[in-house]
Amino acid sequence: MARTRSAGFDDQRELILAQAAALFAHQGYPLTSMNQVAAACGISKPTLYHYVRDKHELLLRVAEAHIARLQALVAAVRAEELPPREALAQLILRFVQAYADAQHQHRVLTEDVKFLDAEARERVLGGERQVVAAFAETVAALRPDLAGAALATPLTMLLFGMINWMFTWLKPDGPLSHAAMAPVVVDLFLGGLASVRMPEAPPPGHTADSRTRRTKKETVA
C-alpha cells in the first residue's frame, strides 16, 4: 500500500528545495552535505530522506522546479495571445523579474547542472531548450526574415546572455533592481541603445531588490 502524504508534505518539500538551492548557490553542490541541508531545514537527516532519495535527486528537483516555473511563465504569456512585440517584451520582463525572486535556483541551474548524471542532465537541458525555443519562436514571429536566415535562435541566445548572468553583477543593495533593469533589457533588445529609457529611481529608503531579500524561511542555518 502506498505511503500517505501528510497535509504539509508539499510545503515541507518546497522549504527543503529552497534551503538546498541556497546552500548550493553559496558554497557549491560538491561542498554541500545532506546533513547541512537537514540542519538548514530544522529536520533530521532521516526525515530529509523521506522527501528525496539522495543529494543527486535533490539537485535534480531544484533544477526541474526552476525550469517548470520558467515554462509556466512562457505558457502564461502565450495564453494572453499578444502581438509578437508585446509578447517578447512580456517574456523578457517576466523572466528578469522571476530571476530576482529565484537567484539561488538560477545560480544552481547555471552552475551545478553539470554535476547531474547524463540522463538527469538531459531532462533539465531539454526543459531549457523548450524555453529557448519559445523565445526564438516569438523572435521569429516578430521578424520572420530572421527565421529564414536562421538567426532567431542565435539572437535568442544573445538575449539570454544579457539576462542569465545578471545575478552576478546586479547587487541587492545597489542602485538598480531587477525590476528597474527589466524594461532596460526590453528597450535594448528591441530598439537598440538609442531607445533605452532611464530606469525609475526606487522610492526613498527602498533598496534595490529589497523584496527579494531572503526571509527567515529561506535563511541558511
Side-chain angles (χ1 to χ4, degrees):
M1 183 175 179
R3 179 184 297 175
T4 303
R5 290 183 175 180
S6 65
F9 182 92
D10 290 337
D11 290 340
Q12 182 64 59
R13 183 169 59 186
E14 286 299 313
L15 172 62
I16 291 170
L17 295 183
Q19 293 289 6
L23 286 165
F24 294 160
H26 283 292
Q27 61 192 38
Y29 173 78
L31 297 179
T32 300
S33 70
M34 293 294 273
N35 282 330
Q36 290 174 318
V37 175
C41 297
I43 60 177
S44 67
K45 191 174 179 181
T47 299
L48 176 59
Y49 283 114
H50 175 65
Y51 293 90
V52 290
R53 182 175 59 254
D54 52 27
K55 192 171 75 164
H56 180 272
E57 182 184 353
L58 188 54
L59 174 59
L60 176 60
R61 286 186 178 273
V62 169
E64 287 191 318
H66 185 50
I67 286 291
R69 285 190 288 269
L70 299 182
Q71 290 174 320
L73 289 179
V74 169
V77 172
R78 281 179 166 172
E80 294 177 16
E81 299 183 346
L82 300 169
R85 185 180 182 87
E86 286 78 1
L88 185 56
Q90 281 301 313
L91 285 172
I92 295 171
L93 288 169
R94 296 185 198 189
F95 267 59
V96 172
Q97 292 168 3
Y99 289 168
D101 293 329
Q103 293 184 40
H104 295 150
Q105 291 83 350
H106 187 59
R107 185 180 289 272
V108 170
L109 188 65
T110 56
E111 298 182 0
D112 290 332
V113 168
K114 62 188 177 185
F115 296 111
L116 293 172
D117 63 37
E119 180 180 355
R121 186 166 59 251
E122 181 56 32
R123 283 168 57 180
V124 173
L125 295 179
E128 287 187 293
R129 285 192 287 268
Q130 290 177 11
V131 170
V132 170
F135 270 75
E137 288 172 8
T138 310
V139 170
L142 180 59
R143 285 285 306 275
D145 56 317
L146 296 178
L151 278 174
T153 297
L155 283 169
T156 297
M157 298 310 296
L158 287 173
L159 170 59
F160 275 107
M162 279 199 287
I163 65 177
N164 272 358
W165 302 100
M166 196 175 290
F167 71 90
T168 64
W169 56 265
L170 189 60
K171 305 304 180 184
D173 55 352
L176 293 171
S177 67
H178 281 77
M181 286 301 299
V184 173
V185 176
V186 172
D187 290 344
L188 184 60
F189 188 75
L190 292 179
L193 187 61
S195 71
V196 173
R197 293 160 292 178
M198 293 294 291
E200 295 182 6
H206 178 87
T207 58
D209 281 341
S210 61
R211 69 187 180 87
T212 67
R213 292 183 184 278
R214 287 177 293 164
T215 63
K216 288 183 179 180
K217 179 179 179 181
E218 297 173 319
T219 300
V220 178

